[in-house]
Structures are given as structure tokens and as C-alpha cells.
Amino acid sequence: MQKNALLSVSDKSGLVPFAKALVEQHGYRLLSTGGTAKLLEQEGIPVTEVSDYTGFPEMMEGRVKTLHPKIHGGLLARRDKEDHMAAAAEHGIEMIDLVVVNLYPFEETVAKPDVTFELAIENIDIGGPSMLRSAAKNHASVSVVVDAADYDRVLAAMGDEAALLKLRRELALKVFQRTSSYDGAIAAYLEAQVAEAPDLGEISGIPAKLDLQLPQVQSLRYGENPHQKAALYGNFFDCFEQLQGKELSFNNIIDITAATYLIGEFQKPTVAILKHTNPCGVASAETLVEAWEQAFVTDQQAPFGGIIVVNQTMDADLAAIISKIFCEVIIAPDFTPAAREIFAKKKNLRLMTVKGSLPADSLQEMRSVVGGVLMQDRDTMPDRPSDWKIVSKRQPSDEEMRAMIFGWNVVKHVKSNAIVYAGCERTLGVGAGQMSRVDSSKIAVWKAGEAGLPLEGSIVASDAFFPFADGLIAAAEAGAVAAIQPGGSVRDDEVIAAADERNMVMVFTGKRHFKH
């Protein structure tokens, strides 16, 4: 009996050698459509157009071509049922033993900033999912391939019925995972179009229903601790490339994400050092080496086993300095060949590059909770100093304002309660994650003292309002001459009065930056 394979793909990677093997080694007749058929013909591979097979012309700009009983009957007919096979014979329906389909690139299309609604709708595949689902339902008899990475596996299993059946079950599962993800992407897009978007600039809305289908891309050695199992899902490696070093750990991945979000706040050459997602030292300067020197001095213990991120190509000068200390991960847009050569001597050091801008889904973040997940827009709404209010009697100098802008950009990435002492484009002391804002301030002052960095003339940034004047007074006693905070406390007047008594500048931003 003639074996038939139906091939219709958008992504044609690896298709030609696979198709040749089907014909030359396994005796398949190939059925195909459109661009796939043209490619096979150009490569000299025998192919039959679906419209010639069905006797029904392709029409409506290709919308109707595979939705035909001779296609779906050949996919769905159970070979072990006489009435199925008799009906197929009566209507001239041949069995289709293999389907290779990948879908119109809907997700890629709607991710483009200039996509129109009409173009998005045209990229909703109908025939492809229908064929995939028919073949996957009848996987006892039909092999179905939705991923080019499986071509070699299918060829290898042919001739071994037990192996092929086992593989078919895996491939059928993969099909339903893919079609579920595809439908979810379409629903999410349409929901975003229909919903009344809040006035939040570029931040997207929150879906009424959350459907997730994320492929496992890496099984991790363990989670936060060695006794916890873990895996990575999604498209993390579409955003980053690992150039060298040990396999990324669960904690590395979380730290890399935090570091990438932080460094995105800055335009000038900037270095940030993080530990357990908290920035320990951040500085901007005319060169990365200068920025490193100022960031490193903030906390010379933190880089040990920490994460270092920069926003420009790292050259050999900085690489030579950093190579003298132990850190887990270094992230940069790129590394010069000379820098790569220096770091290559540290085999376990993980070097990561960032692949362009972050995808749209990075605008939102999720956390698991008992019985579900929380979703929120990421804290990306731009802070505009022109919207801030100077509530103190004294006005800030230009240098004080630059320091407050810098400190405000850093403090939003520090775990609450967060306090950052800063100078002009550099951190001086960071206090993170304490139960009391005063305690966070004390830690930041202590860290600055340990580093030998005087706080006289510094600014203090607080991620939330000072509930009492005591936190502001403590900052003034440490040497701060200006404070930036959201404002909004019932005791704002007391805090402002305490600032005025000490001739401090006080700026209210009107925006809180809690990070739990």
C-alpha cells in the first residue's frame, strides 16, 4: 500500500533533507501545498499538490485547501475498523500516514510593533491546527510532526513499530501542547484588542483569563537549595546567550533577570553589582572602568559570588580588573575578543550577553501563591523629574538633583524596605529588605562606613514614604543633605518640617517603588 505524507510548513528549516529521506529511503508519496510544494519541486523532490489529490481547487487566498474529507478522512480513519476503511475505499480516500505541519507565525507577527489588526488576523492558521489535531488524535496510526527538531527522531524510528508507536504518543502530546499555546496566544491578543486598556503608557493590560503553555528549555540541577527540584520554562534563551561557564542555576537565572532590569535604567556607561537580586553597588561614569571603581568601592564583599552587569561592550581593561575577584555571572551587551580571552581562564565563570531589547512579556511578572498565581505590570512606568514636587524650603542644586535621580533609579530595584544613599551617579550605601525603614537606613550607613565612604553631602532615596520623621532625621545625622521619597504619609508635614529644620531638600515623587 502506498504510504502518504502531507507536508505544509511555514518554517522550512531542515525540511528538504527530511523530505528526500521520506521519498528515497522510505517510499513515501508527498502531498503538499503552496510554498512548501514549490520548495520541494525546486529541489527535485516528487510532490503532489493537495488540490490535485483532492480534486478541489485551492481558493479564497488559500484559506480553503486542506479542509477536505480526502485529507481529514485519511488522517482520522481507524485502520483497525472495517467500516472506517470501507467508507474510505468507497469515497476514494487514501490513508495519510505522516503529517508535518508548523503553524503560521502568529506570535512573531503580533510581537512586531507595527503589526495591524488585519495582518494579525490573517496570520491565524486554521487548516494547520485542524490537520495536526486530526493526526494527533489518530496517533496510533499516524505520525505527526510539529517541530523540525523531531525530523531525525521520526526517521530513526521508522521500521521499528514499537519505537514508532512510543514516539507517536510523544509527538501527539507535543501537538496538543503547541495548539493549546497557539490558541492561547490568539486569545490573549484578541482580549488585549477588545479590553479597555488603562492609561498606563506602554504597559499592557492584565488578562481576564491566564493560559500558559511554556516549553521546558532546561532541567536545572536544583532550585534555590540542593534538595529542591527545578526547571526553566519559556524563552529565556531568546533573550540571553551564555558564552562560557557552568550551567546556569535557579538562583543565577533570577539574579540575571534582576540585573537586566536594573541596568536598563541607565544610559551612560554603568556598572551594577548585585547579590541575591539586590544592587550592592551601582555607578555611572564616562568609562566602564571608572564606573566599576565607584560601584565596587560601595561594597567590596558583595561581588564575591555575585552578579556583575554592564550596559556597554566590556573590553580587556575592565575584564582584567574583574578577573581578579570571584563572581558567578557577568552580563554585558558584548565582550571584546581580548576580554573573552581573559575570562576564558576562569572556566566556571558564566558570561552572558543580552540579545537586544526584552520581549513584550517582560512587561509583566508573575509569582506563584497558594492556589494560583499573582500577575502584575512590571514597575516600568517612567519617572519624570518634571512631575516631582520640591516640598522643602530649600531648592536642590543641579548636582543634588542628579544624585536624587540616580538614587531613585536604583532604589526601585532594592528589596523593601529600601534605602539608598547616593552621590552624583554613584551609590554610597544600600540598605535592603528590613522590617523597619530606620533599620534599612542604619544598614546603609554602616555599609558606607565599612567602605570608608563619607555620607556628608549625600542624598537619601526611600522606596516608600517616611512614616515618621525619625528616618529622615537619621539620614540627616548621617550626613544626607537631600531626600527623595514618594510622600503620602499622614505625617508628611512633620517629615517636611524636620527637613526644613536641617536645611535639607525634600522631593516628593508621588510614586512608590515597593519591591517585595
Side-chain angles (χ1 to χ4, degrees):
M1 182 182 295
Q2 174 66 58
K3 293 182 292 185
N4 293 303
L6 197 160
L7 283 59
S8 181
V9 295
S10 295
D11 178 4
K12 297 173 176 60
S13 304
L15 181 69
V16 170
F18 180 63
K20 283 183 177 180
L22 290 176
V23 173
E24 297 172 3
Q25 298 174 26
H26 300 282
Y28 275 85
R29 177 177 67 168
L30 304 185
L31 307 175
S32 191
T33 63
T36 305
K38 289 179 182 177
L39 174 64
L40 297 176
E41 288 176 355
Q42 290 169 3
E43 295 294 330
I45 301 172
V47 60
T48 300
E49 285 273 1
V50 164
S51 57
D52 293 334
Y53 168 68
T54 61
F56 199 87
E58 185 175 313
M59 62 176 59
M60 300 176 186
E61 298 178 314
R63 288 189 174 205
V64 179
K65 52 188 173 183
T66 59
L67 298 170
H68 192 280
K70 290 190 74 172
I71 298 298
H72 288 277
L75 295 174
L76 286 166
R78 286 187 54 173
R79 279 60 162 172
D80 61 338
K81 284 187 171 285
E82 290 184 6
D83 57 333
H84 282 214
M85 299 307 290
E90 180 183 353
H91 296 283
I93 297 174
E94 298 183 40
M95 298 299 99
I96 298 175
D97 309 285
L98 171 65
V99 171
V100 181
V101 172
N102 52 55
L103 307 177
Y104 293 171
F106 180 83
E107 296 98 330
E108 293 87 341
T109 299
V110 298
K112 296 175 182 176
D114 57 347
V115 66
T116 63
F117 181 77
E118 290 73 18
L119 180 59
I121 296 302
E122 283 305 309
N123 275 273
I124 297 176
D125 201 328
I126 301 300
S130 299
M131 288 188 290
L132 287 173
R133 291 173 64 86
S134 292
K137 178 174 181 176
N138 201 22
H139 66 268
S141 301
V142 183
S143 301
V144 56
V145 184
V146 73
D147 184 351
D150 292 317
Y151 289 163
D152 289 342
R153 298 176 68 203
V154 171
L155 292 174
M158 286 182 175
D160 184 338
E161 193 60 35
L164 187 58
L165 179 58
K166 182 175 183 293
L167 178 58
R168 282 174 177 164
R169 289 175 180 169
E170 292 182 34
L171 297 178
L173 169 61
K174 204 166 185 176
V175 162
F176 288 114
Q177 289 173 332
R178 175 63 184 127
T179 55
S180 174
S181 172
Y182 194 73
D183 288 342
I186 295 168
Y189 174 77
L190 292 176
E191 183 177 43
Q193 299 299 308
V194 171
E196 290 185 8
D199 186 16
L200 293 176
E202 295 298 317
I203 299 178
S204 57
I206 300 296
K209 181 179 180 181
L210 182 63
D211 291 309
L212 290 177
Q213 283 285 340
L214 300 176
Q216 184 182 124
V217 295
Q218 186 171 318
S219 177
L220 304 175
R221 288 179 295 162
Y222 52 81
E224 287 182 289
N225 300 289
H227 60 275
Q228 294 172 265
K229 294 180 180 179
L232 172 64
Y233 296 82
N235 62 350
F236 181 85
F237 286 108
D238 289 347
C239 307
F240 302 95
E241 180 181 2
Q242 184 171 357
L243 303 179
Q244 72 164 58
K246 292 194 299 185
E247 178 183 301
L248 294 178
S249 71
F250 184 96
N251 293 336
N252 290 155
I253 293 166
I254 292 175
D255 284 332
I256 289 168
T257 299
T260 303
Y261 288 160
L262 168 62
I263 205 69
E265 302 281 353
F266 303 97
Q267 301 299 317
K268 286 183 66 174
T270 301
V271 175
I273 304 164
L274 293 89
K275 196 70 169 286
H276 305 309
T277 74
N278 277 308
C280 310
V282 185
S284 299
E286 296 305 314
T287 68
L288 286 182
V289 169
E290 293 176 87
W292 164 261
E293 291 170 349
Q294 295 183 11
F296 178 64
V297 75
T298 308
D299 190 338
Q300 296 188 29
Q301 293 178 326
F304 186 87
I307 308 291
I308 298 170
V309 61
V310 301
N311 62 352
Q312 293 190 346
T313 297
M314 185 177 292
D315 61 18
D317 291 341
L318 182 54
I321 296 170
I322 293 177
S323 66
K324 296 175 183 177
I325 64 173
F326 166 70
C327 61
E328 290 276 352
V329 183
I330 301 175
I331 311 163
D334 203 356
F335 298 84
T336 65
R340 290 284 304 275
E341 185 176 348
I342 290 170
F343 288 132
K345 298 172 184 176
K346 292 176 154 299
K347 301 297 183 183
N348 291 333
L349 173 62
R350 303 163 178 91
L351 293 188
M352 306 293 297
T353 58
V354 181
K355 298 180 180 179
S357 59
L358 296 177
D361 59 11
S362 68
L363 290 175
Q364 293 175 332
E365 55 192 10
M366 286 183 289
R367 290 192 184 182
S368 60
V369 294
V370 175
V373 296
L374 291 170
M375 172 180 274
Q376 66 173 354
D377 292 318
R378 194 162 59 81
D379 190 2
T380 56
M381 188 184 294
D383 289 286
R384 299 182 179 89
S386 59
D387 296 335
W388 298 348
K389 293 180 181 179
I390 301 169
V391 295
S392 57
K393 293 178 181 178
R394 186 168 77 80
Q395 298 293 298
S397 67
D398 289 344
E399 183 170 331
E400 288 168 342
M401 181 57 77
R402 288 199 303 273
M404 283 190 284
I405 292 171
F406 183 86
W408 192 242
N409 283 335
V410 174
V411 79
K412 69 188 289 188
H413 297 275
V414 180
K415 291 293 182 65
S416 299
N417 286 312
I419 292 289
V420 171
Y421 286 86
C424 191
E425 298 188 316
R426 63 176 298 183
T427 53
L428 300 171
V430 179
Q434 298 306 301
M435 288 67 75
S436 159
R437 196 159 298 278
V438 174
D439 289 343
S440 290
S441 181
K442 288 178 180 178
I443 290 173
V445 171
W446 169 68
K447 296 294 283 187
E450 287 283 296
L453 296 174
L455 294 179
E456 285 73 19
S458 67
I459 70 92
V460 62
S462 174
D463 65 336
F465 60 65
F466 287 104
F468 302 97
D470 56 355
L472 188 281
I473 293 169
E477 291 174 348
V481 296
I484 183 168
Q485 56 137 319
S489 168
V490 295
R491 293 183 173 83
D492 274 349
D493 290 343
E494 297 176 22
V495 178
I496 295 169
D500 286 337
E501 289 172 11
R502 291 157 179 79
N503 197 33
M504 290 181 71
V505 171
M506 176 71 74
V507 171
F508 282 3
T509 67
K511 187 186 298 180
R512 190 181 73 185
H513 284 308
F514 267 164
K515 187 175 179 63
H516 275 60

